Amino acid sequence: MDRRTLLISLASPAVLPSHSAVAGSAAELRQISYPVFGGQEDSFRHYCIEVLKLAVEHCGVGYQLKPVLQPVGQGRAIRQLSAGEGPLNILWSMTSAERERDLLPLRFPLDRGLMGWRLLLVRKAEQQRFAQIRSLEALRALTAVQMHDWPDTQILRANGLQVGTGSSYENLFAMLQHGRTDYFPRSVLEIAEDMARYGASHDLAIAPGLLLSYPTAFYFFVSPREPALAKDLSLGLERILSNGSWRALFLQQMRRQSKALKLHERQVLALRNPLLPAATPLQRTELWEEPGRLGA
């Protein structure tokens, strides 16, 4: 799937047939309204949309997909979805016990576990400084930057790391550039996109030799007022897991950029995740990916 295909997919609503034939016009189909946060052209978000389309195609029920521009932050969108307010009935996000309490989680990790594998964006002039860091104790002397409503903020702080926060995604890169923070942990699924968009303009680089790791999952979440939608999409996700199309899409999207990051050569600093719900299906090995395999 190339970038042009992904952008076309995001730009226009799609009426998708079910796995079996569905009669009726588009007007009779149920609607799935998903968010486009700030209109960001983010390849991992586009991948999530493609997984959603595959799940709808295989669920046996007809749905019409509708993208909704969301100028509000993720935290507010989650509160609206939980309360049944606003235009959304689905979104995707990193899980936490609080989010699984307030919404209906579809426990299929879209990231296949890799959202918790974090490389560090740093100021280009400080690469050598980070090349000397090989322990969490050394990293605790520095300050990370995160969005105020991201679960990662709580995870990093629970591991004794200092975190400065912002309320605008774009502003996080400016905070790093101007020395208000020292590093920005970004997942291996996102960091290539960040470097392409902000690396040169903000004089940033990826810190050599380091990789933070904590167990987490990135799910679809559905409004608690729509259990039928959650059931339908869960069935579709099971089917695309069984037929291999989900993993094929994941590898197509992620393998090339992950290989370039040389994950197997990095020092891994393991963190605990106190937000990880007990219901996380860690025992279902077919749902998870080993980062080293992406570069194979």
Side-chain angles (χ1 to χ4, degrees), residues 3 37-43 121-124 147 150 168-178 184 186 190-206:
R3 181 128 178 115
F37 287 107
Q40 294 176 24
E41 296 177 356
D42 176 329
S43 63
L121 279 181
V122 300
R123 290 180 290 279
K124 190 176 294 184
M147 285 286 285
W150 285 355
S168 162
Y169 177 73
E170 287 73 15
N171 191 47
L172 302 183
F173 297 92
M175 290 173 67
L176 177 58
Q177 178 187 21
H178 297 304
F184 187 3
R186 298 297 285 150
E190 301 168 312
I191 201 163
E193 191 88 18
D194 289 338
M195 280 298 297
R197 295 179 63 200
Y198 298 103
S201 62
H202 290 66
D203 207 28
L204 303 179
I206 299 173

Side-chain angles (χ1 to χ4, degrees), residues 114 117 263-264 289-296:
L114 299 193
W117 288 76
L263 302 180
H264 63 285
E289 199 73 38
E290 288 294 331
R293 291 169 58 193
L294 291 179

Side-chain angles (χ1 to χ4, degrees), residues 6 12 41 122 163 176 180 241 243 283-284 287 294 296:
L6 289 170
S12 58
E41 296 177 356
V122 300
V163 184
L176 177 58
R180 293 165 59 190
L241 171 65
N243 68 21
Q283 74 285 358
R284 296 190 65 184
L287 295 173
L294 291 179

Side-chain angles (χ1 to χ4, degrees), residues 77-252:
I78 289 171
R79 290 192 295 273
Q80 289 178 347
L81 187 63
S82 174
E85 301 171 349
L88 300 178
N89 57 5
I90 191 172
L91 52 73
W92 42 87
S93 172
M94 185 181 291
T95 195
S96 69
E98 181 181 13
R99 291 179 181 183
E100 294 198 18
R101 181 196 67 209
D102 296 339
L103 302 171
L104 295 179
L106 309 187
R107 294 190 179 94
F108 291 79
L110 300 170
D111 62 321
R112 295 185 62 83
L114 299 193
M115 195 60 74
W117 288 76
R118 299 274 163 154
L119 303 183
L120 309 185
L121 279 181
V122 300
R123 290 180 290 279
K124 190 176 294 184
E126 298 205 339
Q127 292 178 85
Q128 190 56 40
R129 178 188 188 186
F130 279 85
Q132 307 305 313
I133 294 176
R134 287 295 178 268
S135 70
L136 281 178
E137 190 60 37
L139 199 59
R140 288 184 178 117
L142 304 176
T143 301
V145 65
Q146 297 280 276
M147 285 286 285
H148 69 96
D149 57 357
W150 285 355
D152 313 89
T153 300
Q154 298 177 61
I155 295 169
L156 294 174
R157 286 174 173 166
N159 285 272
L161 297 171
Q162 301 180 68
V163 184
T165 62
S167 57
S168 162
Y169 177 73
E170 287 73 15
N171 191 47
L172 302 183
F173 297 92
M175 290 173 67
L176 177 58
Q177 178 187 21
H178 297 304
R180 293 165 59 190
T181 58
D182 300 301
Y183 64 99
F184 187 3
R186 298 297 285 150
S187 85
V188 299
L189 304 178
E190 301 168 312
I191 201 163
E193 191 88 18
D194 289 338
M195 280 298 297
R197 295 179 63 200
Y198 298 103
S201 62
H202 290 66
D203 207 28
L204 303 179
I206 299 173
L210 277 181
L211 190 155
L212 301 182
S213 173
Y214 45 88
T216 189
F218 202 91
Y219 294 149
F220 288 127
F221 288 89
V222 170
S223 166
R225 289 163 164 60
E226 301 207 38
L229 174 59
K231 181 178 179 181
D232 291 341
L233 290 179
S234 293
L235 177 59
L237 289 166
E238 287 286 2
R239 286 172 171 167
I240 64 174
L241 171 65
S242 296
N243 68 21
S245 59
W246 171 37
R247 185 167 186 264
L249 177 64
F250 179 87
L251 292 178
Q252 181 183 9

Side-chain angles (χ1 to χ4, degrees), residues 46-58:
H46 290 293
Y47 153 80
C48 291
I49 294 167
E50 295 302 312
V51 177
L52 178 60
K53 289 182 178 181
L54 272 179
V56 170
E57 289 171 1
H58 289 77

